[in-house]
Amino acid sequence: MNTIKPSEFTTQFAADVFEGLTSHPKSLSSKYFYDKKGDEIFQEIMHLPEYYLTGKEFDILQENKSALAEAFASPSGFDLIELGAGDGKKTKILLKHFTEKKLDFTFVPVDISHNVLQQLASDLQKEIPELKVTPRQGMYKKVLEQLAEYQTRKKVILFLGSNIGNLPQEEALNFLKKISSSMAQDDLFFMGVDQKKNPETILAAYNDTQGVTAEFNRNLLRRINRELGANFDPDAFIHWPFYDPETGMAKSYLVSKKEQTVQINSLNLEVHFAAWESIHTEISQKYDDTSISWLAREAGLSVSESFSDTENCFKNYIFKKL
Ligand SMILES: C[S@@+](CC[C@H](N)C(=O)[O-])C[C@H]1O[C@@H](n2cnc3c(N)ncnc32)[C@H](O)[C@@H]1O
């Protein structure tokens, strides 16, 4: 019998795991994929042949870096704030180009993962020593509330890698509304968005043949074992991604292969799974121009420019305040 009240949990992770695994149906938030091990596995995912998102966005940034320098530059300089910066592999294209062009700017990478931020700051120090970097560790929600502080000069907010797709549609809209309300009239929001396409291509991106994405998904259970003293057997769960071309939603689950009970010591909790019961772990929503324009309008933004690869597989949009 559980005796801990959710308000007594010492970390947000503990509270969210408790809430997700005592709900029906069960769920865990994808933001918890990214512990040290998860960061490493995600970097492997970005190099998989099936995970086209990174390569496509990389090419778009490479191809359009001069146009972006022109759009972002401002006589009094600007703050380049990246939400969910990760390893910054793609952003470095812009950081190097802007530095070569002697643009006056400060880079503010934001990420929930302390580990990934430290790594990024140290890489940037080596690769672009003249770059001004001010890392901020935290969740989008919290950082978005603080964004209004950055009002002394133009700010350009980056949100790459189709991270917007990890938010359910209502949260995505609220997220964009918060971005919009933190923006002054000259500020810009630059977002990378994976597009609706052949369902086979999308599904393969979340179901690679080497099983790396499956391990990324199962690492969430390993993280609960490590951090909350649980005894999940990750191999007793299958990774189950699927894509619905009607809604554009890709979803991933962990599905229990058998009836089982898991102990989570720090939560003083026993979690029972029926055979084939699922835990929903990730949403990767795919968009098109119509749905992006609608979201933008609802949030008080408008698309001022967009850039895509030759097959319209992936798009990067610049938004202005309406
Ligand atoms: C899918 S990776 C993308 C990284 C990078 N933007 C790219 O395009 O390659 C998502 C990144 O966002 C971070 N992240 C996920 N959810 C977050 C949240 N709620 N608040 C802050 N960072 C978050 C993760 O730690 C991870 O580094």
Side-chain angles (χ1 to χ4, degrees):
M1 205 48 197
N2 175 61
T3 51
I4 306 178
K5 293 192 201 79
S7 58
E8 292 167 7
F9 293 127
T10 49
T11 63
Q12 191 62 43
F13 178 55
D16 289 349
V17 169
F18 182 93
E19 158 114 34
L21 294 182
T22 53
S23 299
H24 303 280
K26 293 180 170 64
S27 66
L28 290 168
S29 167
S30 62
K31 63 176 174 279
Y32 295 121
F33 281 143
Y34 303 92
D35 67 344
K36 189 165 188 300
K37 184 71 191 160
D39 291 339
E40 281 164 21
I41 307 177
F42 186 69
Q43 273 155 43
E44 242 184 280
I45 289 177
M46 290 197 292
H47 290 100
L48 290 170
E50 293 96 337
Y51 197 77
Y52 57 85
L53 290 84
T54 309
K56 294 289 181 197
E57 192 172 37
F58 189 94
D59 293 346
I60 293 170
L61 298 186
Q62 184 64 35
E63 191 70 23
N64 297 289
K65 58 189 180 189
S66 301
L68 292 170
E70 215 168 289
F72 296 175
S74 149
S76 51
F78 63 99
D79 291 313
L80 187 66
I81 301 161
E82 179 166 13
L83 303 174
D87 71 348
K89 181 178 168 213
K90 290 166 290 180
T91 315
K92 282 180 194 166
I93 299 169
L94 301 184
L95 300 176
K96 284 181 184 150
H97 182 70
F98 296 172
T99 307
E100 274 161 28
K101 292 282 155 200
K102 305 219 176 306
L103 299 194
D104 170 17
F105 74 107
T106 297
F107 180 48
V108 185
V110 175
D111 207 289
I112 190 175
S113 165
H114 193 60
N115 167 64
V116 92
L117 265 188
Q118 263 185 330
Q119 186 62 46
L120 176 61
S122 120
D123 290 352
L124 289 173
Q125 171 68 35
K126 280 183 219 128
E127 292 171 39
I128 323 174
E130 59 275 54
L131 180 69
K132 284 177 249 160
V133 187
T134 316
R136 281 200 167 205
Q137 196 260 331
M139 290 207 208
Y140 303 145
K141 220 167 121 191
K142 187 102 192 236
V143 174
L144 278 176
E145 284 160 14
Q146 300 162 345
L147 267 186
E149 289 168 25
Y150 280 87
Q151 296 295 19
T152 47
R153 60 179 184 172
K154 179 177 179 177
K155 61 181 181 292
V156 179
I157 304 167
L158 303 188
F159 197 43
L160 303 182
S162 208
N163 286 8
I164 188 76
N166 295 142
L167 303 177
Q169 210 136 9
E170 203 182 318
E171 277 182 45
L173 178 56
N174 285 336
F175 178 85
L176 293 185
K177 281 183 179 167
K178 285 207 174 110
I179 297 261
S180 166
S181 63
S182 80
M183 285 165 68
Q185 212 55 41
D186 287 343
D187 292 348
L188 297 175
F189 176 50
F190 182 64
M191 178 164 76
V193 184
D194 196 18
Q195 303 287 302
K196 286 185 180 173
K197 62 179 70 60
N198 185 336
E200 283 178 9
T201 310
I202 293 178
L203 195 54
Y206 300 96
N207 205 19
D208 65 280
T209 54
Q210 296 172 52
V212 182
T213 316
E215 275 319 295
F216 185 59
N217 203 0
R218 289 196 193 97
N219 179 57
L220 206 43
L221 303 182
R222 295 201 169 90
R223 179 174 184 182
I224 297 172
N225 285 349
R226 282 191 292 268
E227 294 185 24
L228 302 177
N231 65 348
F232 273 106
D233 171 9
D235 294 329
F237 290 82
I238 57 168
H239 165 64
W240 189 256
F242 94 100
Y243 175 65
D244 176 358
E246 186 179 48
T247 58
M249 193 181 279
K251 281 176 136 185
S252 292
Y253 294 90
L254 289 163
V255 182
S256 175
K257 291 200 256 185
K258 58 181 185 188
E259 183 177 1
Q260 54 182 317
T261 300
V262 175
Q263 319 282 341
I264 308 182
N265 290 332
S266 305
L267 306 183
N268 200 14
L269 181 69
E270 275 194 349
V271 187
H272 182 76
F273 290 90
W276 307 116
E277 186 177 352
S278 61
I279 312 174
H280 174 221
T281 54
E282 191 178 31
I283 294 172
S284 305
Q285 179 71 42
K286 309 303 166 192
Y287 287 98
D288 53 24
D289 281 347
T290 312
S291 47
I292 284 295
S293 300
W294 179 85
L295 266 181
R297 217 176 23 254
E298 289 293 304
L301 297 167
S302 71
V303 175
S304 73
E305 249 181 291
S306 69
F307 309 88
S308 76
D309 60 292
T310 46
E311 292 144 2
N312 285 335
C313 209
F314 198 96
K315 278 197 179 179
N316 286 74
Y317 299 86
I318 298 182
F319 300 89
K320 278 185 178 161
K321 229 173 140 76
L322 267 179

